[in-house]
Structure formats: structure tokens, C-alpha cells
Amino acid sequence: AKRAGGNNFQFYSSDMRVASVEQLALETSLRKAIFKNEFVVHYQPKMDLGRNCITSVEALVRWQHPTMGLLPPKDFIPLAEETGLISAIGELVLERSCRQAMQWYNSGLGDICVSVNLSAHQFRKGNVLEIVDRVLETTGLPAELLELELTESLIMEDLDKNIALLQALRTRGVELSLDDFGTGYSSLSYLKRFPIDTLKIDRSFITELDQSPDDAAITRAIIDMAHSLNLRVVAEGVETDSHLEILRGMGCDSIQGYLISRPVPEAELLQLLETQKQA
Ligand code: C2E
Ligand code: CA
Ligand code: CA
Ligand code: CA
């Protein structure tokens, strides 16, 4: 125990040691998981509200742990970020997703775009462009069918360098989407400098869209602003028909959320796409 001042004792040192032993064990098994390729990618559809069909899917990684079962990103992405292992994982996800999207493309399921999340660590490493080029070349996927999802804070880490990188990606035809929009704290004046195609409104504004006039006002303002900047808008976390109708009324371009589908394994997504093709 440690004396924290006054009569407050904080018993945190032994807890911290336990945490770090656990952390080390997790880090070791995370390293092994990369070699053993224990990651699986699930796909969550986005529905285009103009065409009323799935035109895009987001790739979301899970870890098929040998003893703990299927682990969600929140159980391992933070540690992967901290240790830098996220770069290797992110590369596996990118490659898998592009290979998968190329199969959908070849199966005549329509042009289905795949969105892949990029982490700040991957940007800091400075080899994103090389990796994207290599993956597009080895999979044969048209660049237009790959979208990368990034956050404001990631771009702001090294603004000029990252803007140049995003421009280079866009020159190749890759789509760029700004994820979790509304939760960052960068000035709106930066937004017009970001070379992006799409804004994704964060789920936190959507969850109570039908009960909170404030959230509705913010959502409407984001959609209008995005459209005046010639950006498309996706709303994430759409769970009810009422959310859908409100967003449709506001002119939102696409929606993603449990209302359409949870993130599903590849085989299940294929069924969704085939059903829609027949419809
Ligand atoms: P995100 O990029 O904001 O992804 C959306 C998350 O919201 C996903 O959680 C998805 O399952 C969840 N979601 C989608 N629709 C709904 C809904 O209607 N209601 C609710 N309550 N949740 C919904 P998931 O799959 O657990 O991923 C969490 C986060 O982990 C992602 O947030 C993303 O930041 C990160 N992540 C996932 N895969 C990758 C990856 O391959 N690379 C990197 N760097 N990060 C990833
Ligand atoms: Ca995302
Ligand atoms: Ca998001
Ligand atoms: Ca979010």
C-alpha cells in the first residue's frame, strides 16, 4: 500500500502487478495469435438508403482464442495498439478483407465495397501506402472497392504528413471515411482540409435519436454540413425503424447497425448478398 496524502491509503500496487502479469500473458498469446493466424474477420453491411441495398460492408476483427472463445476487439485492440502489434493484425485484416471482396466481385454479387479500420500506429509506421499497394496488387481488387476508415485524432497526429498520405491513397482510387465523427475535438476548420469521401456519424448521436431533440439537431447539422462539403454520410449504430425513418428524412446516404445486421461471418454475409441479388 502507498500513502497518498492525508489519511487516504491507496492499495493499488499489488493490483497493478497482477494486471501487468496478466497483460504480459495476453501480449505473449497475442504474438502467437498473429503467427497462428487466429484472427477472423466479420462483416457488417451498410445499406444505401437511395438504392435500398447493401453496397458496402465493414470488416471487424475478432480473435478466435484457443481457450477463451471468440474475443471482441475491445478485449485485445487496446493492448495491440499499446504494443504495436496492431500493425501486423491490421495488415492481416486488410489482406483478408480485400481477398474476400475480390471473391464477391468475381461472383457477380454487384460492386461491394469493403471498409477496413486503420489504427494510428499503422499511420505512424509510415508504410500504409506500400501495404495498400501490395494488397491491391496481390488480390487484384479494384482500388474503388476498398475504403479505409480513419479517425480525426489519427489524422491530427501529424496533419501535413497524413494529409499527403491520404491524398496519395485517393489518387489510387481508394475511398476514405472519417469514423466516429462528432466525438473528436479537432476544429471543424480542419474538416475541409481532409481529403475524404465520407463522414460516419458516431453511434452516440444515433442511439437516442428519436428521444433527444439535441441529438437530432446535431445529426441533422452534420448531414447538412457534410453534404455542403460534398461528402457522403453514413450513420452507425442504427437499431430501430424509427432511427431509419428519421435518418431517411434528414437525407442521410447510408446506414449501418443491428437493424440491418450485426457483424456476421463471411458465409452469412454471402447469404445476405445472394438474397439481395435475387430480390
Ligand atoms: P467501430 O469502427 O466504430 O465499429 C463499429 C462497432 O459498433 C463494431 O463493434 C460494431 O459491431 C458495433 N455496432 C455496429 N452496429 C451497432 C448497433 O446497431 N448497435 C450497437 N450497440 N453496436 C453496433 P466491434 O466489432 O466490437 O468493434 C469495436 C471497435 O474495434 C471498432 O469500432 C473499431 O474501432 C475497432 N476495430 C474493429 N476491427 C478493427 C480492425 O481490424 N482494426 C482496427 N484498427 N480497429 C478495429
Ligand atoms: Ca469503423
Ligand atoms: Ca465507428
Ligand atoms: Ca463509434
Side-chain angles (χ1 to χ4, degrees), residues 116-133:
V116 179
N117 293 286
L118 285 190
S119 80
H121 189 269
Q122 287 173 283
F123 261 63
R124 275 183 235 124
K125 266 190 99 180
N127 59 351
V128 168
L129 206 54
E130 286 86 336
I131 290 171
V132 168
D133 281 341

PDB file of all heavy atoms in Angstrom, residues 116-133:
ATOM      1  N   VAL A 116     -12.139  -0.998 -44.187  1.00  0.00           N
ATOM      2  CA  VAL A 116     -11.201  -1.539 -43.211  1.00  0.00           C
ATOM      3  C   VAL A 116     -10.757  -0.416 -42.269  1.00  0.00           C
ATOM      4  O   VAL A 116     -10.445   0.692 -42.717  1.00  0.00           O
ATOM      5  CB  VAL A 116      -9.981  -2.170 -43.934  1.00  0.00           C
ATOM      6  CG1 VAL A 116      -8.969  -2.712 -42.930  1.00  0.00           C
ATOM      7  CG2 VAL A 116     -10.432  -3.269 -44.884  1.00  0.00           C
ATOM      8  N   ASN A 117     -10.756  -0.708 -40.978  1.00  0.00           N
ATOM      9  CA  ASN A 117     -10.325   0.283 -39.972  1.00  0.00           C
ATOM     10  C   ASN A 117      -8.806   0.360 -39.910  1.00  0.00           C
ATOM     11  O   ASN A 117      -8.127  -0.655 -39.876  1.00  0.00           O
ATOM     12  CB  ASN A 117     -10.857  -0.107 -38.591  1.00  0.00           C
ATOM     13  CG  ASN A 117     -12.369   0.005 -38.510  1.00  0.00           C
ATOM     14  OD1 ASN A 117     -12.908   1.097 -38.445  1.00  0.00           O
ATOM     15  ND2 ASN A 117     -13.052  -1.134 -38.560  1.00  0.00           N
ATOM     16  N   LEU A 118      -8.289   1.552 -39.881  1.00  0.00           N
ATOM     17  CA  LEU A 118      -6.844   1.734 -39.717  1.00  0.00           C
ATOM     18  C   LEU A 118      -6.575   2.344 -38.352  1.00  0.00           C
ATOM     19  O   LEU A 118      -7.335   3.190 -37.877  1.00  0.00           O
ATOM     20  CB  LEU A 118      -6.291   2.664 -40.791  1.00  0.00           C
ATOM     21  CG  LEU A 118      -6.144   2.105 -42.204  1.00  0.00           C
ATOM     22  CD1 LEU A 118      -5.353   3.076 -43.060  1.00  0.00           C
ATOM     23  CD2 LEU A 118      -5.471   0.739 -42.212  1.00  0.00           C
ATOM     24  N   SER A 119      -5.493   1.919 -37.727  1.00  0.00           N
ATOM     25  CA  SER A 119      -5.154   2.481 -36.419  1.00  0.00           C
ATOM     26  C   SER A 119      -4.027   3.495 -36.561  1.00  0.00           C
ATOM     27  O   SER A 119      -3.290   3.499 -37.547  1.00  0.00           O
ATOM     28  CB  SER A 119      -4.732   1.372 -35.465  1.00  0.00           C
ATOM     29  OG  SER A 119      -3.401   1.036 -35.723  1.00  0.00           O
ATOM     30  N   ALA A 120      -3.903   4.333 -35.550  1.00  0.00           N
ATOM     31  CA  ALA A 120      -2.880   5.378 -35.538  1.00  0.00           C
ATOM     32  C   ALA A 120      -1.485   4.781 -35.670  1.00  0.00           C
ATOM     33  O   ALA A 120      -0.622   5.319 -36.359  1.00  0.00           O
ATOM     34  CB  ALA A 120      -2.983   6.187 -34.247  1.00  0.00           C
ATOM     35  N   HIS A 121      -1.291   3.626 -35.037  1.00  0.00           N
ATOM     36  CA  HIS A 121       0.026   3.007 -35.083  1.00  0.00           C
ATOM     37  C   HIS A 121       0.439   2.664 -36.511  1.00  0.00           C
ATOM     38  O   HIS A 121       1.592   2.829 -36.908  1.00  0.00           O
ATOM     39  CB  HIS A 121       0.047   1.759 -34.203  1.00  0.00           C
ATOM     40  CG  HIS A 121       1.416   1.194 -34.024  1.00  0.00           C
ATOM     41  ND1 HIS A 121       1.931   0.238 -34.871  1.00  0.00           N
ATOM     42  CD2 HIS A 121       2.393   1.480 -33.137  1.00  0.00           C
ATOM     43  CE1 HIS A 121       3.166  -0.052 -34.483  1.00  0.00           C
ATOM     44  NE2 HIS A 121       3.460   0.686 -33.438  1.00  0.00           N
ATOM     45  N   GLN A 122      -0.528   2.201 -37.306  1.00  0.00           N
ATOM     46  CA  GLN A 122      -0.219   1.875 -38.699  1.00  0.00           C
ATOM     47  C   GLN A 122       0.221   3.119 -39.467  1.00  0.00           C
ATOM     48  O   GLN A 122       1.086   3.059 -40.325  1.00  0.00           O
ATOM     49  CB  GLN A 122      -1.449   1.252 -39.383  1.00  0.00           C
ATOM     50  CG  GLN A 122      -1.732  -0.165 -38.925  1.00  0.00           C
ATOM     51  CD  GLN A 122      -3.038  -0.678 -39.493  1.00  0.00           C
ATOM     52  OE1 GLN A 122      -4.114  -0.315 -39.022  1.00  0.00           O
ATOM     53  NE2 GLN A 122      -2.966  -1.503 -40.510  1.00  0.00           N
ATOM     54  N   PHE A 123      -0.407   4.253 -39.135  1.00  0.00           N
ATOM     55  CA  PHE A 123      -0.036   5.507 -39.796  1.00  0.00           C
ATOM     56  C   PHE A 123       1.346   5.951 -39.375  1.00  0.00           C
ATOM     57  O   PHE A 123       2.139   6.400 -40.173  1.00  0.00           O
ATOM     58  CB  PHE A 123      -1.062   6.604 -39.460  1.00  0.00           C
ATOM     59  CG  PHE A 123      -2.068   6.781 -40.544  1.00  0.00           C
ATOM     60  CD1 PHE A 123      -2.927   5.748 -40.877  1.00  0.00           C
ATOM     61  CD2 PHE A 123      -2.146   7.969 -41.245  1.00  0.00           C
ATOM     62  CE1 PHE A 123      -3.848   5.899 -41.897  1.00  0.00           C
ATOM     63  CE2 PHE A 123      -3.062   8.141 -42.263  1.00  0.00           C
ATOM     64  CZ  PHE A 123      -3.918   7.110 -42.591  1.00  0.00           C
ATOM     65  N   ARG A 124       1.624   5.814 -38.066  1.00  0.00           N
ATOM     66  CA  ARG A 124       2.914   6.246 -37.554  1.00  0.00           C
ATOM     67  C   ARG A 124       4.055   5.453 -38.169  1.00  0.00           C
ATOM     68  O   ARG A 124       5.133   5.969 -38.387  1.00  0.00           O
ATOM     69  CB  ARG A 124       2.957   6.102 -36.025  1.00  0.00           C
ATOM     70  CG  ARG A 124       2.362   7.298 -35.315  1.00  0.00           C
ATOM     71  CD  ARG A 124       2.500   7.126 -33.811  1.00  0.00           C
ATOM     72  NE  ARG A 124       1.202   7.248 -33.183  1.00  0.00           N
ATOM     73  CZ  ARG A 124       0.644   6.339 -32.407  1.00  0.00           C
ATOM     74  NH1 ARG A 124       1.266   5.193 -32.144  1.00  0.00           N
ATOM     75  NH2 ARG A 124      -0.539   6.544 -31.884  1.00  0.00           N
ATOM     76  N   LYS A 125       3.806   4.188 -38.447  1.00  0.00           N
ATOM     77  CA  LYS A 125       4.858   3.352 -39.033  1.00  0.00           C
ATOM     78  C   LYS A 125       5.282   3.844 -40.411  1.00  0.00           C
ATOM     79  O   LYS A 125       6.392   3.587 -40.854  1.00  0.00           O
ATOM     80  CB  LYS A 125       4.375   1.898 -39.145  1.00  0.00           C
ATOM     81  CG  LYS A 125       4.773   1.057 -37.963  1.00  0.00           C
ATOM     82  CD  LYS A 125       4.501  -0.411 -38.221  1.00  0.00           C
ATOM     83  CE  LYS A 125       5.755  -1.161 -38.659  1.00  0.00           C
ATOM     84  NZ  LYS A 125       5.468  -2.582 -38.911  1.00  0.00           N
ATOM     85  N   GLY A 126       4.359   4.526 -41.081  1.00  0.00           N
ATOM     86  CA  GLY A 126       4.726   5.169 -42.340  1.00  0.00           C
ATOM     87  C   GLY A 126       4.755   4.269 -43.561  1.00  0.00           C
ATOM     88  O   GLY A 126       5.247   4.678 -44.608  1.00  0.00           O
ATOM     89  N   ASN A 127       4.230   3.027 -43.437  1.00  0.00           N
ATOM     90  CA  ASN A 127       4.262   2.164 -44.629  1.00  0.00           C
ATOM     91  C   ASN A 127       2.871   1.774 -45.133  1.00  0.00           C
ATOM     92  O   ASN A 127       2.702   0.788 -45.840  1.00  0.00           O
ATOM     93  CB  ASN A 127       5.102   0.906 -44.353  1.00  0.00           C
ATOM     94  CG  ASN A 127       4.547   0.092 -43.191  1.00  0.00           C
ATOM     95  OD1 ASN A 127       3.636   0.543 -42.490  1.00  0.00           O
ATOM     96  ND2 ASN A 127       5.095  -1.082 -42.978  1.00  0.00           N
ATOM     97  N   VAL A 128       1.870   2.580 -44.762  1.00  0.00           N
ATOM     98  CA  VAL A 128       0.489   2.277 -45.156  1.00  0.00           C
ATOM     99  C   VAL A 128       0.346   2.195 -46.678  1.00  0.00           C
ATOM    100  O   VAL A 128      -0.285   1.282 -47.209  1.00  0.00           O
ATOM    101  CB  VAL A 128      -0.485   3.338 -44.581  1.00  0.00           C
ATOM    102  CG1 VAL A 128      -1.860   3.208 -45.209  1.00  0.00           C
ATOM    103  CG2 VAL A 128      -0.592   3.204 -43.075  1.00  0.00           C
ATOM    104  N   LEU A 129       0.950   3.151 -47.356  1.00  0.00           N
ATOM    105  CA  LEU A 129       0.820   3.207 -48.808  1.00  0.00           C
ATOM    106  C   LEU A 129       1.393   1.943 -49.470  1.00  0.00           C
ATOM    107  O   LEU A 129       0.763   1.345 -50.345  1.00  0.00           O
ATOM    108  CB  LEU A 129       1.558   4.452 -49.310  1.00  0.00           C
ATOM    109  CG  LEU A 129       1.093   5.053 -50.625  1.00  0.00           C
ATOM    110  CD1 LEU A 129      -0.397   5.349 -50.605  1.00  0.00           C
ATOM    111  CD2 LEU A 129       1.886   6.339 -50.888  1.00  0.00           C
ATOM    112  N   GLU A 130       2.577   1.534 -49.014  1.00  0.00           N
ATOM    113  CA  GLU A 130       3.209   0.332 -49.564  1.00  0.00           C
ATOM    114  C   GLU A 130       2.331  -0.891 -49.324  1.00  0.00           C
ATOM    115  O   GLU A 130       2.158  -1.730 -50.205  1.00  0.00           O
ATOM    116  CB  GLU A 130       4.583   0.085 -48.911  1.00  0.00           C
ATOM    117  CG  GLU A 130       5.692   1.019 -49.349  1.00  0.00           C
ATOM    118  CD  GLU A 130       5.728   2.322 -48.538  1.00  0.00           C
ATOM    119  OE1 GLU A 130       4.677   2.720 -47.961  1.00  0.00           O
ATOM    120  OE2 GLU A 130       6.803   2.951 -48.480  1.00  0.00           O
ATOM    121  N   ILE A 131       1.769  -0.966 -48.107  1.00  0.00           N
ATOM    122  CA  ILE A 131       0.949  -2.128 -47.773  1.00  0.00           C
ATOM    123  C   ILE A 131      -0.328  -2.159 -48.618  1.00  0.00           C
ATOM    124  O   ILE A 131      -0.690  -3.187 -49.173  1.00  0.00           O
ATOM    125  CB  ILE A 131       0.635  -2.135 -46.255  1.00  0.00           C
ATOM    126  CG1 ILE A 131       1.914  -2.455 -45.481  1.00  0.00           C
ATOM    127  CG2 ILE A 131      -0.455  -3.135 -45.927  1.00  0.00           C
ATOM    128  CD1 ILE A 131       1.795  -2.288 -43.984  1.00  0.00           C
ATOM    129  N   VAL A 132      -0.973  -1.012 -48.738  1.00  0.00           N
ATOM    130  CA  VAL A 132      -2.201  -0.956 -49.536  1.00  0.00           C
ATOM    131  C   VAL A 132      -1.893  -1.316 -50.997  1.00  0.00           C
ATOM    132  O   VAL A 132      -2.609  -2.113 -51.615  1.00  0.00           O
ATOM    133  CB  VAL A 132      -2.870   0.432 -49.426  1.00  0.00           C
ATOM    134  CG1 VAL A 132      -3.974   0.600 -50.461  1.00  0.00           C
ATOM    135  CG2 VAL A 132      -3.440   0.634 -48.015  1.00  0.00           C
ATOM    136  N   ASP A 133      -0.818  -0.773 -51.523  1.00  0.00           N
ATOM    137  CA  ASP A 133      -0.434  -1.084 -52.910  1.00  0.00           C
ATOM    138  C   ASP A 133      -0.209  -2.582 -53.094  1.00  0.00           C
ATOM    139  O   ASP A 133      -0.689  -3.180 -54.051  1.00  0.00           O
ATOM    140  CB  ASP A 133       0.847  -0.331 -53.300  1.00  0.00           C
ATOM    141  CG  ASP A 133       0.551   1.121 -53.659  1.00  0.00           C
ATOM    142  OD1 ASP A 133      -0.623   1.442 -53.946  1.00  0.00           O
ATOM    143  OD2 ASP A 133       1.495   1.942 -53.649  1.00  0.00           O
TER     144      ASP A 133
END
